[in-house]
Amino acid sequence: MARPRKQTYTLDMYLKKNRKGDIDNNADVQRNFVWNNEQINELIVTVLTDDYIPPIILGEEENSKLHIVDGGCRTAALRKFREMNYKITSAIENPLIPYKKRITDKKGNITYVDAVFDIKNKTYEKLPEELKEKFDEYQIETVIHESCDSLKISRYIKRYNNHVAMNTDQKAFTYIDKFAGHIRKIMDSRFFVECNNYSEKDKTKGVIERMVVETLMCMNHFDNWKSQAKAACKYLNDHATEEEFKRLSGNLRRLEDIVTEDIKGVFNKKDSFIFLTLFDRFTGLGIDDGKFAEFLRHFMKELRLVRRNEKGLLFDEIDRDLSTKDRQVIADKLGMLESMMMDFLKPGEGDLSQGSPETFIAQNLDMDIESVRADMDFYEQSLNVLLENTVKVDSKLRNPENRISLLAMMVYSYKEDKDLDDWMSEYAQKYNKYFSDQKKNFLHLKQHFEQYCKKNGRIAW
């Protein structure tokens, strides 16, 4: 059998042959046009920047008629722009096309100057003449299989289209080129080999890459949360730091030492990023990591079946009416988990240096410790509602180690009959840090609140 021959056409000639039927795009088994606007836009940019397009595969009958075997969608997309008034959409990523602009002076002398044309919302007819010529003169390569009949053409179509296109997650990953190496390194960690509930299929479908991106967004940029993988990758490419990747890598190494077979199920493709964000907050408590594993065990056995939050929902019911990637769903899940974790850990009872919340509040607000203990559940729930309404989920003010001083402020507000909502909302917008010494932090918060009340004509005490 003879090897296929190569043939190069100008794009203008190739499309004319396709329009006349000399190069047919309607083989019986050829699929319908399936490209979206993004794909069409990118192909047009490729032509206008004289970049590379893979050869189009043709099958030639004995009568010399050519049939497109591979490249039907490319051909249809190019015809849409050249002949069917297709307008490049405003969502195009690289709309500025450099070219040489031809200038003729009064004497007829021609010079060329560097110019740039924005092709956003433009059709072929709106292009400068120079770019029209560049488009028409683009060299399109073809590879032609000779002596074909309909059976051979069908066989070639099946052969050349027997591949798996990039899925949404895999394509999204191409938009985080700046940090792709860091993500690949994280994916090689033992955590993603032994300490998770991903299937082998997940690992080849771009699921882990997406999960790493979601974790970094949730840990560090939740205020700018993007539910779509592509948007999240683009955001991190512009705003992430190497320190954020190092911190996640360190967290994964710590988890590798504590995650066992009975608890690794929480690290699945749906909720991994939420539990990894929870562990990131846990690390600020100064508690042995084994306690986090104990909490996960307790969560899986009991707490997952407990109705919590103001809606009385189970953890797995929070996303029943909204997408699992909805920002509010994530905030509610993370808020519920953090509240459960703090209740379980009971920080201060031999774990933290700040003392128990009850003792801290009683000492700093001159209250009877038994009365504080009696109302502690109420204070905890009130603080959860306050934070949900006033403080961004990714704010450091929400860190677990800061909760004792915030609880003290909550109790103080009830003791003095003063509402914290407006003040906390303003405070959270200005500040995203706190003193690790919770007494010092409480006094700072209290002083700031009193000044706020004075400024707004209120009496704070």
Side-chain angles (χ1 to χ4, degrees):
M1 181 182 294
R3 290 175 60 83
R5 73 177 191 270
K6 295 182 179 180
Q7 174 73 52
T8 301
Y9 301 94
T10 64
L11 185 51
D12 181 55
M13 180 181 291
Y14 174 79
L15 294 180
K16 282 180 180 177
K17 284 182 172 292
N18 179 239
R19 183 171 65 251
K20 292 191 309 180
D22 294 336
I23 297 177
D24 180 62
N25 197 16
N26 295 296
D28 292 340
V29 297
Q30 185 67 272
R31 66 177 178 173
N32 293 326
F33 184 73
V34 295
W35 278 24
N36 56 35
N37 289 340
E38 180 185 5
Q39 291 169 298
I40 300 174
N41 291 345
E42 288 299 318
L43 182 64
I44 295 167
V45 169
T46 300
V47 172
L48 293 177
T49 56
D50 201 27
D51 214 334
Y52 178 71
I53 295 176
I56 290 174
I57 312 299
L58 305 173
E60 185 179 51
E61 292 183 318
E62 292 294 343
N63 62 8
S64 297
K65 184 170 184 176
L66 297 164
H67 297 268
I68 297 176
V69 169
D70 183 57
C73 286
R74 278 173 280 165
T75 302
L78 291 168
R79 282 196 64 188
K80 277 179 176 289
F81 182 66
R82 180 63 178 82
E83 303 168 2
M84 303 175 189
N85 212 36
Y86 173 82
K87 183 186 292 185
I88 295 169
T89 65
S90 58
I92 186 170
E93 285 195 51
N94 303 297
L96 301 180
I97 305 298
Y99 71 102
K100 293 291 185 179
K101 184 175 183 179
R102 186 169 51 243
I103 297 178
T104 305
D105 63 20
K106 293 180 180 179
K107 295 181 179 181
N109 297 316
I110 297 175
T111 57
Y112 294 89
V113 297
D114 291 330
V116 174
F117 185 75
D118 188 347
I119 62 172
K120 190 181 296 182
N121 296 316
K122 301 296 193 301
T123 62
Y124 172 85
E125 293 301 327
K126 296 294 184 180
L127 296 180
E129 288 301 317
E130 295 87 348
L131 285 181
K132 288 181 181 178
E133 293 173 4
K134 193 172 187 178
F135 184 91
D136 290 342
E137 294 171 2
Y138 181 84
Q139 301 292 292
I140 195 84
E141 296 178 5
T142 68
V143 174
I144 302 172
H145 288 278
E146 301 175 341
S147 303
C148 289
D149 55 20
S150 60
L151 180 61
K152 279 189 177 181
I153 289 171
S154 297
R155 187 183 303 146
Y156 283 134
I157 289 175
K158 182 169 65 174
R159 175 189 299 174
Y160 285 107
N161 288 277
N162 186 23
H163 63 271
V164 179
M166 277 188 172
N167 63 28
T168 302
D169 290 335
Q170 291 165 335
K171 189 169 184 179
F173 190 62
T174 65
Y175 290 89
I176 193 168
D177 54 284
K178 184 178 177 181
F179 296 105
H182 292 281
I183 293 176
R184 291 296 188 197
K185 188 174 181 179
I186 287 173
M187 290 169 57
D188 289 336
S189 66
R190 186 163 62 87
F191 179 86
F192 289 113
V193 177
E194 303 174 5
C195 307
N196 60 79
N197 196 34
Y198 296 104
S199 68
E200 289 304 314
K201 187 175 181 180
D202 290 336
K203 294 176 182 180
T204 62
K205 293 287 187 179
V207 172
I208 296 181
E209 290 93 328
R210 187 196 73 205
M211 193 282 302
V212 173
V213 167
E214 289 172 343
T215 302
L216 289 162
M217 284 294 297
C218 196
M219 281 173 53
N220 307 289
H221 306 278
F222 192 68
D223 190 43
N224 293 289
W225 174 258
K226 313 294 181 186
S227 59
Q228 299 299 318
K230 175 182 171 182
C233 287
K234 291 174 69 174
Y235 182 87
L236 287 181
N237 208 49
D238 293 334
H239 298 91
T241 66
E242 291 196 6
E243 184 57 38
E244 292 169 3
F245 286 88
K246 289 178 182 177
R247 191 166 92 244
L248 176 57
S249 295
N251 287 352
L252 294 176
R253 285 193 294 271
R254 292 169 64 169
L255 284 167
E256 289 168 1
D257 293 333
I258 62 170
V259 174
T260 49
E261 193 69 26
D262 59 327
I263 58 176
K264 73 177 187 180
V266 300
F267 297 105
N268 53 52
K269 64 181 180 181
K270 179 181 177 182
D271 292 323
S272 277
F273 70 100
I274 294 176
F275 284 95
L276 288 173
T277 301
L278 182 69
F279 180 72
D280 185 66
R281 297 183 179 185
F282 168 87
T283 60
L285 292 172
I287 302 177
D288 181 80
D289 290 347
K291 288 289 185 180
F292 187 76
E294 291 179 19
F295 165 70
L296 292 183
R297 233 167 252 120
H298 187 55
F299 169 77
M300 294 188 72
K301 291 179 179 178
E302 297 183 29
L303 296 179
R304 200 161 202 160
L305 303 177
V306 175
R307 296 190 178 278
R308 298 281 293 239
N309 77 20
E310 63 273 14
K311 297 179 182 178
L313 297 176
L314 299 174
F315 176 82
D316 295 304
E317 293 176 340
I318 292 176
D319 57 13
R320 64 184 179 187
D321 297 322
L322 294 169
S323 164
T324 58
K325 305 303 180 186
D326 183 86
R327 187 178 185 278
Q328 189 58 53
V329 167
I330 297 166
D332 289 347
K333 283 187 172 183
L334 200 51
M336 177 185 284
L337 285 171
E338 192 168 357
S339 177
M340 287 177 170
M341 182 177 73
M342 296 306 292
D343 288 346
F344 174 78
L345 296 174
K346 295 182 176 60
E349 296 184 7
D351 293 320
L352 298 175
S353 59
Q354 301 290 347
S356 71
E358 294 89 343
T359 301
F360 182 91
I361 292 167
Q363 291 176 347
N364 287 280
L365 290 175
D366 192 24
M367 295 175 65
D368 177 66
I369 192 169
E370 293 304 323
S371 66
V372 174
R373 283 176 178 152
D375 295 325
M376 203 60 195
D377 287 344
F378 171 72
Y379 295 140
E380 291 273 9
Q381 293 174 11
S382 298
L383 179 59
N384 289 339
V385 172
L386 174 68
L387 294 177
E388 181 63 33
N389 292 334
T390 61
V391 182
K392 298 172 183 177
V393 174
D394 58 344
S395 172
K396 290 183 174 63
L397 296 174
R398 281 178 172 254
N399 283 11
E401 62 268 32
N402 193 39
R403 193 170 177 88
I404 291 180
S405 57
L406 291 176
L407 273 171
M409 280 301 299
M410 195 77 250
V411 178
Y412 170 76
S413 73
Y414 281 111
K415 184 180 179 185
E416 301 297 331
D417 194 23
K418 299 296 176 185
D419 182 36
L420 296 179
D421 291 60
D422 293 340
W423 163 74
M424 180 57 83
S425 181
E426 180 180 297
Y427 184 87
Q429 290 179 20
K430 292 182 178 180
Y431 302 98
N432 192 31
K433 296 181 179 179
Y434 57 90
F435 298 104
S436 58
D437 183 322
Q438 288 297 281
K439 181 171 183 178
K440 184 176 182 180
N441 199 60
F442 168 66
L443 294 175
H444 166 75
L445 292 170
K446 181 171 174 286
Q447 181 184 35
H448 192 280
F449 176 64
E450 291 170 351
Q451 291 173 348
Y452 172 86
C453 290
K454 285 182 180 180
K455 182 180 70 173
N456 289 277
R458 303 173 187 177
I459 300 175
W461 54 87

